[in-house]
Amino acid sequence: MDLYTQLGLRPMINAAGTYTVLGGSRMPVEVLEAMNAAAGSFASIPEFQRRVHQRLAELTHNEAAFVVTGCAAGLYLSAATAAVQRLGLRPSELTPSRMAEAEVVVFRSHRNPYDWAVRQLGARLVEVGYPNEIQPVTESDFRAVFTDRTTAVLYTVSGWTAPGALPLRDVRRITLEYGVPLLVDAAAQLPPVENLWRFTREEGADAVIFSGGKDLRGPQASGLIVGRQGFVDLLAEVAFPAYGIGRMLKVGREEMAGLLSAVERYVSLDHAARKQWCEEQVELARRGLASLPGVTVERSYPNEAGQPLPRALVRWMGRPEMAKRVQEKLLAGDPTIAAHIDEKDGLFLNPMTLEEGEMSLIVDRVKAILADLAVDARRS
Ligand SMILES: *Cc1c(COP(=O)(O)O)cnc(C)c1O
């Protein structure tokens, strides 16, 4: 019997996406094998790190790379590194009282629960602008928040940030003038695969942080930092295995091996074929559900994280409350099916975390749920 079933959980089909609370993603066999191989014997961790990081830098066309325990940990360690650099501290001086001097600039429109990683460090977030487009941030607004205590600018790239921030390129031009490191949270900005090098090489970021356990399909507890050599060298003094604030964010050799294998796979993946497969799943949902009375199915693109992959959007004409009812029934079934809804829009079926055959199963379940609801409606 399957592990989760043994523990009393229902099997799950994930049509929501690469969400950590659902397990993020599935590790391909080669990633599991790499972790297994690493787990079976010893290695000098600093030496293993150097080799893995060098290889990751080559694979992602970056000056340098570093494996951390997740994007959130990467944000924390990058912000700490930036403080070390800007305040002229030694890594051992990253104490709460010294960190209270640090100011990290963020666009208010980018605020999100992951910026806890920077607040946790003790740095103060200095917000600029509004979380809408009524009065977008100008360059002079942005310059006005810099002080001699500004240690970093944190820029979040996602489909769900609000409008109103300056473009990344303009931010870069200004952070260069002030000599302030630019950190980019790009946790879920894969695909496209080119983002592994675009934010650093084209947009000039000092450090860009990705989740290892989202579309990369590496270990859940892994994250990838890519960036400038000098910045990443300094980060290596702050991060595990050094004692200090990085020590609690221990990275296992299994995670390092797994993430390396995942990135190797990802850069040589046939992304066009994968996208085509996702299109076919959306089409499957459309063919299966669009002929039902009152139901429409559209291709929604890009997805909520801004990734260039399609989702099926199922709507009930004049009955927007149906999306939530169907979502709840999908979740209550066995296997449990996770899917997201949008209050206005309807039910999203996201193929990116599905495997062959799962979309047909979902379509059948939605049909059965709708048939049941119709019977209930006739009875009452
Ligand atoms: C998922 C996500 C994170 C957190 O990533 P972990 O690897 O789970 O730590 C941070 N920022 C953004 C924008 C995310 O989407």
Side-chain angles (χ1 to χ4, degrees):
M1 208 184 353
D2 156 271
L3 168 74
Y4 297 116
T5 317
Q6 267 178 32
L7 292 172
L9 278 78
R10 279 166 293 155
M12 173 180 280
I13 294 179
N14 175 6
T18 54
Y19 289 91
T20 299
V21 289
L22 301 176
S25 55
R26 291 185 243 228
M27 279 188 277
V29 171
E30 60 263 45
V31 174
L32 288 163
E33 278 170 358
M35 292 182 81
N36 201 14
S41 36
F42 296 99
S44 152
I45 293 302
E47 227 173 277
F48 186 48
Q49 277 181 317
R50 271 196 296 280
R51 303 292 163 91
V52 167
H53 293 156
Q54 193 185 349
R55 181 88 186 105
L56 281 170
E58 285 163 16
L59 286 167
T60 63
H61 311 297
N62 279 288
E63 287 176 20
F66 202 91
V67 181
V68 286
T69 52
C71 177
L75 294 172
Y76 178 85
L77 291 169
S78 304
T81 304
V84 164
Q85 184 177 316
R86 287 282 293 165
L87 301 176
L89 305 175
R90 291 150 53 87
S92 59
E93 293 173 327
L94 276 169
T95 56
S97 56
R98 295 310 299 271
M99 282 313 301
E101 297 167 35
E103 295 176 352
V104 175
V105 173
V106 292
F107 289 96
R108 189 170 278 124
S109 58
H110 286 181
R111 288 299 312 274
N112 68 75
Y114 300 109
D115 60 36
W116 254 110
V118 177
R119 291 150 72 199
Q120 172 65 27
L121 190 61
R124 197 161 69 83
L125 287 186
V126 177
E127 294 182 346
V128 54
Y130 299 96
N132 52 56
E133 252 169 341
I134 298 172
Q135 189 182 315
V137 178
T138 64
E139 290 197 9
S140 77
D141 296 335
F142 187 61
R143 282 195 164 87
V145 298
F146 281 76
T147 70
D148 52 11
R149 291 148 71 108
T150 305
T151 54
V153 171
L154 171 61
Y155 196 97
T156 302
V157 186
S158 182
W160 45 246
T161 55
L166 285 173
L168 187 52
R169 269 164 210 261
D170 296 341
V171 169
R172 182 50 180 166
R173 188 164 33 74
I174 297 163
T175 56
L176 271 179
E177 278 172 37
Y178 289 91
V180 168
L182 172 59
L183 317 177
V184 175
D185 176 351
Q189 297 311 296
L190 299 169
V193 62
E194 294 80 16
N195 279 353
L196 282 171
W197 52 91
R198 194 190 102 202
F199 298 117
T200 35
R201 288 167 56 130
E202 285 172 39
E203 314 272 5
D206 293 280
V208 182
I209 308 123
F210 298 96
S211 280
K214 291 182 179 171
D215 204 50
L216 280 175
R217 298 177 65 182
Q220 260 307 285
S222 73
L224 174 67
I225 300 180
V226 296
R228 304 244 162 270
Q229 189 74 56
F231 189 85
V232 176
D233 285 348
L234 195 57
L235 186 129
E237 293 179 38
V238 173
F240 173 80
Y243 289 105
I245 65 158
R247 182 59 183 80
M248 64 188 169
L249 299 169
K250 180 197 276 192
V251 190
R253 64 196 190 289
E254 300 83 359
E255 275 72 29
M256 288 186 246
L259 188 64
L260 176 57
S261 163
V263 171
E264 272 168 355
R265 172 185 169 275
Y266 203 74
V267 297
S268 57
L269 197 68
D270 185 345
H271 287 278
R274 189 272 181 113
K275 182 169 185 178
Q276 185 53 37
W277 186 86
C278 289
E279 297 286 1
E280 284 161 18
Q281 306 314 302
V282 169
E283 181 55 22
L284 212 79
R286 203 191 56 73
R287 277 205 310 271
L289 299 172
S291 56
L292 300 175
V295 176
T296 64
V297 183
E298 291 161 40
R299 172 183 180 272
S300 168
Y301 181 92
N303 67 19
E304 80 292 356
Q307 296 152 329
L309 291 174
R311 291 180 297 171
L313 172 55
V314 187
R315 283 201 261 221
W316 285 265
M317 314 252 278
R319 302 180 66 195
E321 75 285 358
M322 282 297 286
K324 186 155 185 60
R325 292 181 70 183
V326 174
Q327 179 196 38
E328 284 168 357
K329 292 204 175 282
L330 284 170
L331 211 54
D334 189 358
T336 176
I337 297 174
H340 279 178
I341 57 165
D342 181 312
E343 298 303 332
K344 305 189 291 293
D345 281 331
L347 178 77
F348 287 99
L349 300 177
N350 189 348
M352 80 181 286
T353 40
L354 294 181
E355 280 185 352
E356 197 62 53
E358 289 184 330
M359 187 61 100
S360 310
L361 240 145
I362 297 169
V363 165
D364 290 346
R365 275 278 289 285
V366 172
K367 280 184 178 165
I369 289 167
L370 292 178
D372 281 353
L373 287 173
V375 170
D376 290 349
R378 275 200 297 278
R379 279 207 194 109
S380 59

